[in-house]
């Protein structure tokens, strides 16, 4: 089992920044690729970003590419999502998840956090 706990969400004005954290515990964290997803009210959960367990590969959704940065530190069992130039359409509950493969489908992820709310005001 892998336990994931997100933090760092909150209310921010458009154009601002937030940094989300995902702390992992349980099984060997370093052997999992990590992803960030988000779900806005009335919408399906969507892929945001992912990082390989060694940190050497990253992937981003087109909607956040160039604005968001995903990073990790296996020694700290932590993954971060730095979100810059936030827009109202970024408002959602953000989830981190762990997978054995670096992918964009939520079905590839085995473990999920409880989510953290990000609200961007216009």
């Amino acid at each position: 089992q892998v336990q994931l706990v997100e933090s760092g969400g909150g209310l921010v004005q458009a154009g601002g920044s937030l940094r989300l954290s995902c702390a992992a515990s349980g099984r060997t964290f370093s052997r999992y690729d990590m992803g960030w997803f988000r779900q806005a009210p009335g919408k399906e959960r969507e892929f945001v970003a992912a990082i390989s367990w060694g940190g050497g590969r990253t992937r981003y959704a087109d909607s956040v590419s160039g604005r968001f940065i995903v990073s990790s530190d296996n020694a700290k069992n932590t993954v971060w999502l730095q979100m810059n130039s936030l827009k109202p359409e970024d408002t959602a509950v953000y989830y981190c998840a762990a997978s054995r493969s670096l992918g964009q489908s939520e079905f590839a992820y085995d473990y999920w956090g409880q989510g953290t709310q990000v609200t961007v005001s216009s």
Side-chain angles (χ1 to χ4, degrees):
Q1 289 287 336
V2 174
Q3 292 79 42
L4 304 172
V5 178
E6 303 96 334
S7 61
L11 174 64
V12 63
Q13 289 188 334
S17 298
L18 279 176
R19 190 191 197 199
L20 305 183
S21 298
C22 174
S25 60
R27 283 190 172 182
T28 307
F29 167 71
S30 63
R31 296 186 181 277
Y32 285 87
D33 298 326
M34 300 298 294
W36 286 96
F37 290 77
R38 66 186 182 187
Q39 187 167 22
K43 295 187 177 181
E44 295 184 350
R45 188 156 53 186
E46 64 176 1
F47 171 78
V48 176
I51 187 167
S52 61
W53 71 267
R57 293 178 293 157
T58 57
R59 293 185 179 177
Y60 295 94
D62 290 342
S63 58
V64 306
S65 183
R67 298 189 297 124
F68 290 11
I69 300 171
V70 60
S71 61
S72 66
D73 185 335
N74 287 349
K76 297 181 179 180
N77 287 354
T78 302
V79 178
W80 297 275
L81 184 68
Q82 177 67 43
M83 306 186 295
N84 302 319
S85 302
L86 283 162
K87 305 174 181 179
E89 50 264 44
D90 293 319
T91 295
V93 176
Y94 283 71
Y95 300 88
C96 70
S99 173
R100 289 295 190 182
S101 62
L102 189 65
Q104 300 186 21
S105 170
E106 62 179 307
F107 300 107
Y109 289 79
D110 302 312
Y111 301 100
W112 293 82
Q114 83 290 347
T116 185
Q117 176 70 46
V118 172
T119 303
V120 184
S121 62
S122 57

